[in-house]
Amino acid sequence: MKLLALQYHEYGNKSAALMLFVHGGGVSDWMWNKQIQYFTHYHCIVPILPGHGLNNKEWNFSIKGSAEELIKLIEEKARGKKVILIGFSLGSQVIIKILSMKPALIDYAIINSASVRPIPYAKKLIKPTITLTFPFIKNRWFSKLQAKTLYVGEDYFERYYQESCQLKPDTLVRVLEENMSFKIPKEFSEATGKILVTVGEQEKTIMKNSAKDIIRANSKCIGVIIPEIGHGVSLAMPDFFNHMVETWLLEGNLPNECTMIS
């Protein structure tokens, strides 16, 4: 299905609370398949961000543009229901932007592995680096290495590889530039919903510091470090992730294995 510039798919119980999943950069809607299979008692919507997925060449990607389109989609579909947003990496940056643009729109948000500390020097290197390395993307061995860092298993590798082969260099540069220049909008402090921030224990220091920044930026935030995991908990440990999400939504509790971020 499609609304304006966004492709999206709907699943589950359309009379239940709305649960919207926003994927990361370099992957697409399929990264949430294990969540869709679990949360059948919710009205689940999974959009495909511009420039991602198969045959998705419309629109240049931007975090703000994606947030604007998702706000329209949520407003059309929610109709007074509770709204839950779940994002990963680039998708979590989009969610932070949504919460900043429409502070009262969302009841719950789960922000996984969002970077909010801009890297100016890295941004300058993106275009020349992509120019040099882009030809490798169509090599299966290179894609295998990239997939491993995101915990993309054999069951999803072919789809990941197909999408990687369709990706345009300009799109990849745009996505990386947006990702590496993103910072928390000041309006984020006004978001009224409950917000859970997560980061993997094995993620880079910038990601852990970003999680702390997000928590400090809004009093409704709580955060946890998930043990023994890097960038991609929902793909690496879907059962753990699903249970964590459901328990937090229904009871406000979090797994004992996690370390609270102070």
Side-chain angles (χ1 to χ4, degrees):
M1 299 181 70
K2 183 178 177 181
L3 179 82
L4 298 178
L6 278 180
Q7 298 178 25
Y8 66 93
H9 301 284
E10 290 185 81
Y11 308 90
N13 180 1
K14 292 187 179 180
S15 64
L18 179 64
M19 184 177 279
L20 188 142
F21 297 86
V22 191
H23 64 80
V27 292
S28 69
D29 58 324
W30 52 264
M31 76 159 286
W32 300 113
N33 283 356
K34 297 287 175 64
Q35 283 66 54
I36 297 307
Q37 293 164 13
Y38 184 85
F39 290 105
T40 55
H41 46 302
Y42 286 87
H43 178 190
C44 296
I45 294 183
V46 190
I48 302 175
L49 296 175
H52 292 75
L54 296 173
N55 304 310
N56 189 11
K57 299 180 174 63
E58 298 179 45
W59 255 40
N60 289 325
F61 174 81
S62 74
I63 289 173
K64 181 182 178 184
S66 298
E68 289 171 345
E69 292 300 301
L70 286 174
I71 287 169
K72 293 173 189 175
L73 179 57
I74 293 164
E75 289 176 337
E76 177 178 305
K77 298 292 183 178
R79 301 188 182 280
K81 299 191 296 186
K82 284 192 181 302
V83 177
I84 302 153
L85 297 189
I86 301 174
F88 167 65
S89 195
L90 184 71
S92 287
Q93 293 175 321
V94 173
I95 287 177
I96 291 170
K97 189 66 176 176
I98 291 171
L99 293 169
S100 304
M101 295 170 70
K102 285 277 186 173
L105 182 65
I106 306 304
D107 297 284
Y108 298 91
I110 301 174
I111 295 170
N112 301 286
S113 302
S115 175
V116 296
R117 292 194 169 194
I119 315 172
Y121 70 88
K123 186 177 176 181
K124 295 176 183 177
L125 298 174
I126 290 171
K127 196 162 187 176
T129 301
I130 294 303
T131 301
L132 287 172
T133 61
F134 194 79
F136 290 115
I137 285 179
K138 295 187 179 182
N139 291 334
R140 292 180 69 85
W141 64 268
F142 184 80
S143 271
K144 286 272 187 181
L145 291 174
Q146 295 295 106
K148 188 176 181 181
T149 65
L150 294 170
Y151 300 99
V152 176
E154 289 296 326
D155 47 349
Y156 294 122
F157 175 74
E158 287 303 324
R159 177 65 183 270
Y160 173 79
Y161 179 64
Q162 288 175 32
E163 292 180 358
S164 296
C165 289
Q166 283 202 9
L167 193 63
K168 291 182 177 180
D170 289 348
T171 300
L172 183 55
V173 168
R174 178 70 174 164
V175 167
L176 290 172
E177 285 180 344
E178 286 280 298
N179 172 259
M180 291 187 178
S181 60
F182 184 76
K183 59 184 178 181
I184 303 171
K186 65 180 187 301
E187 294 84 2
F188 178 71
S189 63
E190 300 170 13
T192 58
K194 295 181 178 179
I195 304 167
L196 173 62
V197 181
T198 78
V199 66
E201 182 184 30
Q202 296 175 3
E203 293 203 62
K204 295 176 181 177
T205 300
I206 190 172
M207 302 302 293
K208 295 175 184 176
N209 288 335
S210 288
K212 293 176 183 178
D213 291 347
I214 297 165
I215 292 164
R216 283 194 290 263
N218 186 299
S219 61
K220 303 293 192 302
C221 290
I222 60 169
V224 293
I225 298 173
I226 300 173
E228 300 178 6
I229 199 69
H231 196 64
V233 61
S234 61
L235 279 168
M237 303 191 300
D239 293 340
F240 173 91
F241 182 80
N242 295 343
H243 177 69
M244 179 185 72
V245 169
E246 187 165 54
T247 303
W248 180 69
L249 290 174
L250 297 179
E251 303 171 12
N253 296 327
L254 291 161
N256 292 331
E257 305 95 305
C258 295
T259 303
M260 298 298 297
I261 301 172
S262 58

